[in-house]
Amino acid sequence: MNAGLEGVVAAKTVLSQVNGVEGRLIVRGHDIEALAGQMSFEAMAALLWRDLAPTNLTETQTATALEIARQDAFEKVPALLTAAKGLTVVEGLRTGLSLLSENEDSHVTVTAAIPVFIAALHRASQGLAPVAPSLGRAQVADFFAMLNGEPASELLVGALETYLLTVSDHGMNASTFTARVVAATRAGTVASTVAALCALSGPLHGGAPGPVLDMLDEVGDFSRVDGWIDRHLGDGERLMGFGHRVYRTRDPRADVLKGVVNRVQNTRARMALAEAVEKAAIGALAARYPDRNLETNVELFTAVLLEGIGLPRELFTPVFAMGRVLGWTAHIYEQVASSRLIRPASSYVGPLPEGAPLLAVAG
Ligand code: ACO
């Protein structure tokens, strides 16, 4: 039995390769460093969806399709805000995606709806009215405008766009696997995306960056770093932003994001503390798990970056979904094309009816 399915290959994919030994991420034939920060969100969407989605669109056509779909999503906002009263933004987003109908371009529908819903849910939590999407704006710039009620600087838009591309696809991670399991039942793209978002929201996956900032807040000062780490590891807790199922070395995405953080203003003090925590955490984890090589993952610098560009921490996981939805939707089409239901086996260890012979059967 292999409870975490480590090393089990359950799909062939043209989307991404996570090389955990070399610390290398290849997405559709390119190193992640050659994509993130080098192309637009729309170009990345076109690249990931190419030859998998029902229609191949250029970057410009993708931008137009997303613009129109954001307008459609905004029509759902009144129903969303009624249904999501009292929910957190990630819970509200889950609810919002469930309001969408399956259609032949569901990948565009869900990708466009996510920023519209996040912005409206956040503004509602602040007692503010939703701001409508604008035709003629690209997805990331439009997100900032819908969130803050005014356009953001090119630097902030570029920083968020780099982040979204960095996390847009990453092999058979927990949420992508979830999407593929649901897609394999032919439940549809919207249903598969809702399921993927639920998997993403856990603190061991996409829910980590909020707790990373909580950790940095609690540590507070350089003099407290070692003591805080020893105490928390001693209590058997996990250090958020460290460790990975696949990487046996540094997560390459951490360095892509570190480069962007250094360009964003007001991150210097946070970054210095994060780097001190990083150094101490890697040392303490190596001492505790000498055979495991636990290093920094993408979430440490995600937290510093998203805070630096002015996003509140309860938006971190939903904003992760804004990027990862590109990978989810591409994997959903790829899974449906492979036409194989995913159905692993379990080993029964419960009691047997009296008199039944003891058989080791996996089923
Ligand atoms: N802090 C403390 N201990 C850790 C950490 C950590 N960050 N990561 C792993 N360990 C421990 C495990 O508890 C385990 O100890 P045990 O054998 O005594 O139970 C040992 O190291 C080996 O664990 P792994 O097999 O390497 O971990 P696994 O592959 O099961 O989990 C995971 C990977 C969930 C990412 C883990 O490293 C973790 O919990 N990290 C903190 C949460 C986090 O940062 N999540 C974001 C991941 S990136 C992403 O999903 C986008």
Side-chain angles (χ1 to χ4, degrees):
M1 195 195 78
N2 186 352
L5 302 182
E6 297 90 317
V8 174
V9 178
K12 284 187 180 171
T13 182
V14 297
L15 291 163
S16 58
Q17 185 195 55
V18 181
N19 183 330
V21 178
E22 289 178 22
R24 187 173 186 191
L25 170 61
I26 295 172
V27 179
R28 294 221 96 170
H30 308 272
D31 279 304
I32 192 62
E33 294 82 356
L35 300 175
Q38 311 297 324
M39 67 198 309
S40 69
F41 180 85
E42 287 75 8
M44 189 69 169
L47 179 68
L48 280 167
W49 293 337
R50 193 186 62 210
D51 299 333
L52 296 169
T55 328
N56 273 339
L57 299 179
T58 63
E59 174 183 356
T60 311
Q61 290 167 329
T62 304
T64 306
L66 286 170
E67 263 173 55
I68 295 167
R70 287 197 298 277
Q71 303 284 330
D72 295 343
F74 192 70
E75 287 177 16
K76 304 270 183 200
V77 164
L80 167 65
L81 296 183
T82 305
K85 273 210 175 79
L87 301 183
T88 64
V89 175
V90 74
E91 289 165 344
L93 181 60
R94 192 178 69 199
T95 306
L97 291 180
S98 300
L99 297 174
L100 302 173
S101 309
E102 299 286 352
N103 61 75
E104 62 180 20
D105 288 322
S106 292
H107 58 301
V108 176
T109 304
V110 291
T111 302
I114 290 176
V116 174
F117 291 169
I118 297 173
L121 288 161
H122 177 65
R123 290 182 68 83
S125 75
Q126 307 297 300
L128 298 169
V131 171
S134 303
L135 287 172
R137 272 209 189 102
Q139 174 113 336
V140 182
D142 210 16
F143 170 64
F144 274 114
M146 289 186 286
L147 187 71
N148 300 328
E150 57 185 20
S153 69
E154 264 181 44
L155 186 119
L156 291 191
V157 172
L160 181 58
E161 199 156 37
T162 301
Y163 164 70
L164 296 175
L165 267 58
T166 305
V167 299
S168 58
D169 195 46
H170 201 239
M172 195 66 95
N173 60 86
S175 55
T176 300
F177 182 55
T178 304
R180 290 189 76 127
V181 170
V182 179
T185 72
R186 304 285 188 275
T189 300
V190 174
S192 306
T193 305
V194 174
L197 177 66
C198 294
L200 184 80
S201 65
L204 298 191
H205 188 17
V212 164
L213 280 194
D214 297 340
M215 170 180 76
L216 295 180
D217 282 347
E218 266 185 53
V219 172
D221 184 79
F222 293 93
S223 61
R224 289 164 41 90
V225 170
D226 290 328
W228 191 94
I229 287 175
D230 287 346
R231 204 168 49 254
H232 284 260
L233 280 180
D235 289 346
E237 289 176 28
R238 293 194 178 202
L239 303 179
M240 293 294 141
F242 299 94
H244 198 272
R245 174 56 63 83
V246 181
Y247 290 118
R248 292 292 166 267
T249 180
R250 212 176 152 76
D251 182 336
R253 300 169 301 171
D255 287 326
V256 176
L257 295 186
K258 203 169 169 180
V260 188
V261 174
N262 288 329
R263 294 206 298 275
V264 176
Q265 273 180 343
N266 305 325
T267 53
R268 195 166 294 172
R270 217 23 152 182
M271 192 62 173
L273 186 60
E275 284 179 324
V277 167
E278 180 183 29
K279 194 164 171 241
I282 290 173
L285 288 167
R288 189 168 277 260
Y289 302 102
D291 303 328
R292 192 60 184 81
N293 214 8
L294 297 169
E295 290 265 356
T296 316
N297 65 43
V298 69
E299 303 292 34
L300 182 71
F301 299 118
T302 290
V304 181
L305 175 65
L306 296 187
E307 181 187 52
I309 62 178
L311 298 180
R313 60 192 78 177
E314 75 152 341
L315 296 195
F316 289 2
T317 305
V319 166
F320 189 165
M322 246 176 94
R324 183 55 60 84
V325 70
L326 297 181
W328 291 338
T329 44
H331 277 273
I332 288 165
Y333 286 122
E334 196 178 48
Q335 183 64 40
V336 170
S338 88
S339 86
R340 185 83 185 144
L341 179 74
I342 297 175
R343 202 319 192 163
S346 53
S347 170
Y348 179 67
V349 294
L352 291 168
E354 223 165 288
L358 198 59
L359 288 178
V361 176

